[in-house]
């Protein structure tokens, strides 16, 4: 997908592609490197260069990124005497070695700008200033060391540290956040740079889906450049997918869409992508004046700001901002009057004519939908469908020869080294016939406390219950009613991780697993037995992982007439043909509980459709005016946080693909379906007060007034044409894309004009004026709203 994503970024007006460098991806075992396939960093940088773009290489090597362990490899944890991200010799030695490895690879291929290559910037460390107070005086010496270490690499291009106000010269300190217009670097010799403009927010299992309106993002970007900004990067511009076990958190979802301008499936998210493209064009129309001088900033009124870039040779560009959140404003500037909507910036490349206002969108919105189809197209009955599945029961408890016995309860990450999500804690206990627990009958309670992230309790081989933490608190404490037998009883506790901690001071010390206490409580007589310090048997991972079931090739698979459903701890396998066409594909895990899935041996990540978000806090029409935060705009409350897992088409063959999943808690795999991402509906809403489309910019204001605003529709995919107009209204239409309705006045000619202009074409443009439609209500600012279908 890389070349297409890079091209779409360039088409959107980007000049630079920023990428982290993931240490745990590239050095999974100490001194054993992986730069193949998705890990081919050199190829990625060269592809960006081939597209004519630059690269910002954020080596870190701590990256955060909601990525497992913040991007650190687990083997670091086991180096004697190590402490991460502080003035610690073992850590600094490894960090310098990895940084030198990456820099050396880039130099060898002549990829730095100083060698004629595309890399214009590199980053060392990442957001350390947010947490450095916890490290005391060692933080300052560590940052000074990191800076001098990076500079000693002699790349010939600048290094940055984001969120590091005390970054030593010549390291450039940069800003991350939703807004960076008020940021100033720690020296007037350093440019004002924004490394991460968050286009949305990440999704957690158990959370609602965050989104960020494009009017607010455009406002933030325009404000940054209005106040002297020089470099701004989106995080994320393409959201993407956390395949395998790469998600951190814990509880970060497999989907990392981030409400980005290019969505998880590699498709343009409209109008976000298009409006930002227009914004980039508008800012670049001012570039000559902006690089020649600093802005003169004045305040023409409350919540209003004018910034003028004017050179001695007469070049002039201006930005006018209304920072108020409630009311529109009229600004008198250079003898002219300008209407500014609340929370918006107008850009005037010639200090006279508005080329773009951040609150007025000229780009059509596209409404994607997922069309579901069975994994098996040719199946007539559910019985035939079921016969295509085979399965393997994962043994409950200890099944591997590598199991070991230890006194007491052990922390999980130290034991598994994150080779698996799973760790079994197993105990056999003898219950005498006269034990109070038996007299209590079923009223014995198993009490378990865990550092997280989830656990399942099995009594004598049967699932008795479990518990799950969440993104706010990973810890689990459960009280499970159980029934014990006279004689021997087996208690098997399965502890599982859902991505390791990736952020915070000393994050590597955040443990996981059942650290106790584990107790039996008799409800009637108050008897308590603490099992914590007994001899526990441990098993790392699942038997199926060792047998290689995830590739589908083991001889252990069973098939028969009755497929086991809604039972815990089962591996399932089937074959499928790829859906026809080129639309992006996902698998819909509705009907399943929790687990991980593989397609042709490649992990498509964890699935967990039973983890449903809270019922409150969502809105489908978020007001963009006013400061954004990660909880401001949420959707899909009371629904699964994620039920779709993206499968790149390049991972599929036309037929005979192998699909394997491991289900922990019970589900019905026959309910799993394909979902192909399709687009057939698009709509736009443009008013008489909108500027002309940016590409029609002319400094001749008379020409602009003569043309007036234009509504344009473009089918999003090649070979599509506009096949119908679902709605058209010129006047005072109301509602949003997909639910437009007529207002109190509307032109009777709007539908026929739109049909004539658009049907049968891949794109169309219509002037938004009374010259085109007549005047259905005089003295009112009118607008044109159209919803169309493309096929």
């Amino acid at each position: 997908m890389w070349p297409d994503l890079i091209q779409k970024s360039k088409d959107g007006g980007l000049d630079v592609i920023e990428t982290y460098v993931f240490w745990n991806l590239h050095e999974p075992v100490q001194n054993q490197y992986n730069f193949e396939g998705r890990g081919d960093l050199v190829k990625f940088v060269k592809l960006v260069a081939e597209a004519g773009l630059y690269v910002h290489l954020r080596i870190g090597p701590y990256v955060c990124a909601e990525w497992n362990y913040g991007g650190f490899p687990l083997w670091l944890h086991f180096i004697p005497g190590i402490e991460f991200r502080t003035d610690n010799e073992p850590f600094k030695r490894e960090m310098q070695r990895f940084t030198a490895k990456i820099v050396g690879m880039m130099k060898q291929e002549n990829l730095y700008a100083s060698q004629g290559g595309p890399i214009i910037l590199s980053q060392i460390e990442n957001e350390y200033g947010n947490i450095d107070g916890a490290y005391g005086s060692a933080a300052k010496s560590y940052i000074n060391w990191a800076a001098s270490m990076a500079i000693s690499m002699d790349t010939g291009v600048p290094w940055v540290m984001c969120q590091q106000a005390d970054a030593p010269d010549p390291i450039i300190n940069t800003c991350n956040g939703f807004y960076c217009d008020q940021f100033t670097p720690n020296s007037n010799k350093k440019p004002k740079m924004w490394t991460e403009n968050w286009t949305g927010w990440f999704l957690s299992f158990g959370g609602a889906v965050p989104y960020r309106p494009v009017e607010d993002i455009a406002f933030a970007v325009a404000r940054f450049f209005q106040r002297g900004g020089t470099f701004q990067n989106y995080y994320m511009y393409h959201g993407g997918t956390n395949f395998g076990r790469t998600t951190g958190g814990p509880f970060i979802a497999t989907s990392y869409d981030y409400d980005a301008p290019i969505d998880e499936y590699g498709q343009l998210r409209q109008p976000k992508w298009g409006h930002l493209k227009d914004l980039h064009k508008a800012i670049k129309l001012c570039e000559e004046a902006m690089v020649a001088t600093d802005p003169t900033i004045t305040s023409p009124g409350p919540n209003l700001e004018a910034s003028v870039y004017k050179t001695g040779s007469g070049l002039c560009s201006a930005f006018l901002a209304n920072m108020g959140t409630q009311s529109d404003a009229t600004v008198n500037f250079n003898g002219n009057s300008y209407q500014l909507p609340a929370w918006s910036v107008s850009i005037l490349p010639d200090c006279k004519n508005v080329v773009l206002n951040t609150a007025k969108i000229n780009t059509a919105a596209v409404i994607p939908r997922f069309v579901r189809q069975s994994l098996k197209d040719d199946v007539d009955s559910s019985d035939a469908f079921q016969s295509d599945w085979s399965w393997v029961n994962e043994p409950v408890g200890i099944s591997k020869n590598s199991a070991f016995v230890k006194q007491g309860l052990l922390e999980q990450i130290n034991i598994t080294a994150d080779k698996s999500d799973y760790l079994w804690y197993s105990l056999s206990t003898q219950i005498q016939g006269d034990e109070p627990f038996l007299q209590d009958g079923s009223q014995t309670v198993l009490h378990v406390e865990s550092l997280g992230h989830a656990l399942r309790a099995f009594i004598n081989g049967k699932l008795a219950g479990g518990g799950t933490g969440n993104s706010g608190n990973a810890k689990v404490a459960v009280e499970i009613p159980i029934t014990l037998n006279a004689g021997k009883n087996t208690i098997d506790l399965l502890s599982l991780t859902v991505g390791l901690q990736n952020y915070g001071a000393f994050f590597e010390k955040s443990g996981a697993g059942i650290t106790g206490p584990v107790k039996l409580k008799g409800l009637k007589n108050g008897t308590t037995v603490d099992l914590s310090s007994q001899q526990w048997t441990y098993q790392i991972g699942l038997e199926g992982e060792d047998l290689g079931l995830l590739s589908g090739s083991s001889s252990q698979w069973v098939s028969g007439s009755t497929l086991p459903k809604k039972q815990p701890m089962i591996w399932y396998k089937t074959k499928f043909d790829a859906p026809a066409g080129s639309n992006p594909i996902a698998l819909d895990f509705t009907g399943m509980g929790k687990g991980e899935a593989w397609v042709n041996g490649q992990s498509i990540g964890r699935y967990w459709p039973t983890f449903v978000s809270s019922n409150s806090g969502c809105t489908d029409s978020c007001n963009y005016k006013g400061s954004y935060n990660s909880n401001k705009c949420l959707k899909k409350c009371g629904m699964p946080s994620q039920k779709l897992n993206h499968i790149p088409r390049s991972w599929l063959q036309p037929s005979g693909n192998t699909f394997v999943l491991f289900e922990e808690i019970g589900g019905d795999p026959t309910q799993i379906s394909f979902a192909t991402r399709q687009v057939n509906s698009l709509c736009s809403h443009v008013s008489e007060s909108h500027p002309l489309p940016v590409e029609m910019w002319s400094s001749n204001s008379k020409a602009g007034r003569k043309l007036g605003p234009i509504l344009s529709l473009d089918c999003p995919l090649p070979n599509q044409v506009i096949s119908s107009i679902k709605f058209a209204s010129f006047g005072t239409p109301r509602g949003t894309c997909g639910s437009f309705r007529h207002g109190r006045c509307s032109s009777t000619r709007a539908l026929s004009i739109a049909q004539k202009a658009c049907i049968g074409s891949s794109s169309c443009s219509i002037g938004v004026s009374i010259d085109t439609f007549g005047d259905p209500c005089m003295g009112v600012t009118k607008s044109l709203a159209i919803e169309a279908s493309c096929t």
Side-chain angles (χ1 to χ4, degrees), residues 414-425:
N414 279 326
I415 304 303
T416 64
D418 199 39
K419 293 287 190 291
S420 170
D421 280 359
Y422 303 99
L423 179 64
W424 282 107
Y425 295 67

Side-chain angles (χ1 to χ4, degrees), residues 420-751:
S420 170
D421 280 359
Y422 303 99
L423 179 64
W424 282 107
Y425 295 67
S426 184
L427 181 71
S428 287
T429 184
Q430 200 74 20
I431 302 291
Q432 305 302 326
D434 57 354
E435 282 272 3
F437 294 118
L438 292 180
Q439 292 162 20
D440 278 354
S442 63
Q443 294 199 329
T444 304
V445 167
L446 175 66
H447 172 94
V448 185
E449 290 182 33
S450 166
L451 292 176
H453 310 143
L455 70 90
R456 317 269 175 245
F458 297 81
I459 304 298
N460 298 321
K462 299 288 183 209
L463 181 62
T468 299
N470 57 58
S471 58
N473 179 14
K475 291 182 178 179
V476 184
V478 293
E479 301 229 317
I480 302 168
I482 61 171
T483 304
L484 297 172
N485 304 325
K488 185 181 168 193
N489 289 265
T490 305
I491 299 172
D492 294 303
L493 304 177
L494 180 63
S495 175
L496 47 137
T497 53
V498 192
L500 302 189
Q501 190 75 28
N502 63 260
Y503 180 74
F506 307 105
F507 74 83
E508 75 278 12
K509 293 178 167 49
S510 296
I514 300 163
T515 51
V518 175
K519 297 175 181 175
L520 292 174
K521 294 179 176 176
L523 287 188
K524 277 188 183 164
N525 49 32
T527 308
T528 299
V529 176
D530 194 329
L531 305 174
S532 310
S533 58
Q534 296 202 13
Q535 295 265 6
W536 289 83
T537 305
Y538 292 89
Q539 176 183 302
I540 298 167
L542 307 173
E543 185 178 81
E545 290 173 316
D546 285 9
L547 292 173
L549 294 185
L550 48 88
S551 69
S553 59
S554 166
S555 60
Q556 307 274 329
W557 295 98
V558 178
S559 51
S561 56
T562 311
L563 180 70
K565 298 178 187 176
K566 300 200 161 57
Q567 295 175 28
M569 310 298 288
I570 299 184
W571 295 82
Y572 294 102
K573 180 179 84 160
T574 193
K575 295 270 187 187
F576 68 90
D577 297 341
S582 57
N583 289 326
I585 308 169
L587 280 172
D588 184 335
F589 280 92
T590 298
M592 300 307 292
K594 177 189 181 298
E596 188 176 351
W598 295 263
V599 171
N600 296 332
Q602 297 260 22
S603 171
I604 60 168
R606 299 181 182 99
Y607 64 85
W608 202 349
T610 51
F611 209 159
V612 173
S613 66
S614 155
N615 276 314
S616 60
C618 284
T619 170
D620 281 329
S621 56
C622 181
N623 181 359
Y624 69 85
K625 298 170 187 175
S627 289
Y628 180 81
N629 64 65
S630 58
N631 292 314
K632 182 179 178 184
C633 307
L634 301 171
K635 55 189 175 184
K636 298 196 173 172
C637 280
M639 297 170 72
S641 301
Q642 180 185 339
K643 59 182 182 178
L644 297 174
N645 280 45
H646 173 216
I647 315 173
R649 277 220 175 239
S650 61
W651 291 9
L652 297 177
Q653 304 136 15
S655 61
N657 297 285
T658 302
F659 176 45
V660 172
L661 60 148
F662 172 65
E663 173 56 48
E664 286 171 26
I665 52 180
D668 178 359
T670 65
Q671 288 189 41
I672 296 173
S673 59
F674 277 122
T676 52
R677 188 189 179 287
Q678 299 182 11
V679 173
N680 59 5
S681 199
L682 68 157
C683 38
S684 189
H685 191 176
V686 173
S687 77
E688 291 178 302
S689 67
H690 271 58
L692 264 174
V694 178
E695 56 268 20
M696 299 178 72
W697 161 257
S698 162
S699 58
N700 181 338
S701 60
K702 283 181 186 159
R705 275 204 292 275
K706 191 174 169 189
L707 284 164
I710 293 172
L711 181 148
S712 296
L713 298 173
D714 286 281
C715 286
L717 299 175
N719 308 319
Q720 283 186 324
V721 295
I722 297 168
S723 52
S724 71
I725 303 295
K726 295 181 181 177
F727 178 91
S729 179
F730 177 77
T732 55
R734 304 168 69 184
T736 56
C737 190
S739 58
F740 284 138
R741 56 191 188 279
H742 294 284
R744 60 181 178 81
C745 90
S746 63
S747 164
T748 55
R749 297 158 53 190
L751 183 62

